[in-house]
Amino acid sequence: MGRQLGGTEPELQRTPGGARLLQNGSVLSEVLSQPGPTDSVFDVLAAALNLSKGTHAGILGFAGGGVIAPLRAMGGRHTISGVDLDESGYKLFRDISDDRQGEVKFAKADAVQWVQSRRAPFDVLLEDLSIARDGDVYKPDVSIDTLPGLIRAKLKPGGLAVFNLLPADDRSWADMIRRVSEPFRHGIRITFESYYNQVIIMGNKPFSATREVSRRVRASLSAIQSVMSSDITVRTLRLAKR
């Protein structure tokens, strides 16, 4: 899930509520005309963004802005800045979405260069890049090796980083999570019954108790009647002491 960095061109599939961008059988974005649930990983990513105490949010791998409709339905009033190498998803978002989707800015650029160029720090940054290869979808190396440190440097002191991880063909889950978490001190891991994604929420200040984080995420999902409220497991990440 998220924007692809290569591979075949995304396929547009119209839905009763909007449209989907598909590539290699995976959903890049679920674009809704109005705020509401996608009943997919995008709802959980939106709930993770909604944990932020601030409202300055960035999305690396904007695609069609799939997290925005559920985020707005949850009451998230974030000012969103998104980046993608391809602006077709953003144009689709603008064509389909109504005015209730809030303030959304977009840049057609490389994610690494975009993050490096930002001056104002973020309250929360979502890393949602992916790459199409050999008929499947993977995380690009830059998401694991380069972006975590850059994202950490661009967060406010109490800011959050959210990573939407996918299986890799040459890395274990343990290795990916270790590399992504290295710049941070605290972490939460969300896994799914229905998806192979893992959502990692990182910060340098302690979270509330895992039970409280789980309650808040599920409350956001239940508030928009997303089926994902019963699909997830929330755990604390045990990080090496720094």
Side-chain angles (χ1 to χ4, degrees):
M1 314 197 46
R3 181 67 189 121
Q4 312 293 350
L5 301 176
T8 57
E9 285 300 313
E11 170 193 351
L12 177 63
Q13 181 184 85
R14 295 289 177 176
T15 66
R20 292 189 186 99
L21 287 175
L22 303 166
Q23 193 168 41
N24 284 359
S26 294
V27 180
L28 291 176
S29 258
E30 181 86 18
V31 189
L32 302 183
S33 59
Q34 301 176 9
T38 66
D39 292 323
S40 73
V41 174
F42 294 115
D43 295 350
V44 178
L45 294 173
L49 294 180
N50 214 27
L51 291 172
S52 170
K53 295 180 180 179
T55 58
H56 185 199
I59 301 175
L60 313 182
F62 184 86
V67 302
I68 297 175
L71 180 64
R72 298 311 188 201
M74 292 169 184
R77 298 183 178 181
H78 302 68
T79 297
I80 295 172
S81 299
V83 61
D84 204 302
L85 286 171
D86 185 346
E87 62 184 347
S88 60
Y90 175 71
K91 290 180 178 179
L92 179 66
F93 168 79
R94 282 301 180 198
D95 288 343
I96 291 177
S97 301
D98 66 16
D99 292 339
R100 288 178 289 174
Q101 301 290 32
E103 185 175 351
V104 179
K105 302 174 183 177
F106 176 81
K108 180 181 179 182
D110 172 79
V112 171
Q113 295 176 0
W114 184 82
V115 171
Q116 290 174 327
S117 69
R118 306 301 292 180
R119 293 184 178 180
F122 289 89
D123 294 297
V124 58
L125 274 167
L126 166 61
E127 191 284 316
D128 196 19
L129 301 176
S130 56
I131 184 169
R133 185 176 66 249
D134 301 328
D136 211 334
V137 180
Y138 303 94
K139 294 300 290 185
D141 288 340
V142 70
S143 295
I144 309 301
D145 299 326
T146 304
L147 278 170
L150 292 177
I151 288 172
R152 166 66 188 91
K154 295 297 180 178
L155 290 175
K156 294 180 181 179
L160 298 178
V162 181
F163 297 87
N164 183 17
L165 297 187
L166 300 166
D169 57 352
D170 59 348
R171 298 176 188 259
S172 66
W173 280 112
D175 178 59
M176 284 194 293
I177 293 172
R178 179 183 62 81
R179 295 297 298 272
V180 164
S181 65
E182 278 179 351
F184 302 93
R185 295 180 179 175
H186 304 277
I188 296 289
R189 179 182 186 181
I190 301 178
T191 55
F192 301 83
E193 290 185 13
S194 303
Y195 296 88
Y196 50 49
N197 305 57
Q198 295 194 25
V199 173
I200 309 299
I201 307 170
M202 307 299 304
N204 276 332
K205 290 191 174 181
F207 291 97
S208 303
T210 303
R211 183 178 299 178
E212 174 63 15
V213 174
S214 178
R215 186 198 67 78
R216 290 179 60 190
V217 169
R218 293 178 195 278
S220 290
L221 295 169
S222 296
I224 63 173
Q225 299 182 328
S226 171
V227 300
M228 302 307 294
S229 61
S230 60
D231 196 270
I232 59 173
T233 299
V234 182
R235 299 184 179 93
T236 299
L237 268 180
R238 303 299 179 187
L239 305 183
K241 293 184 178 181
R242 299 173 57 197

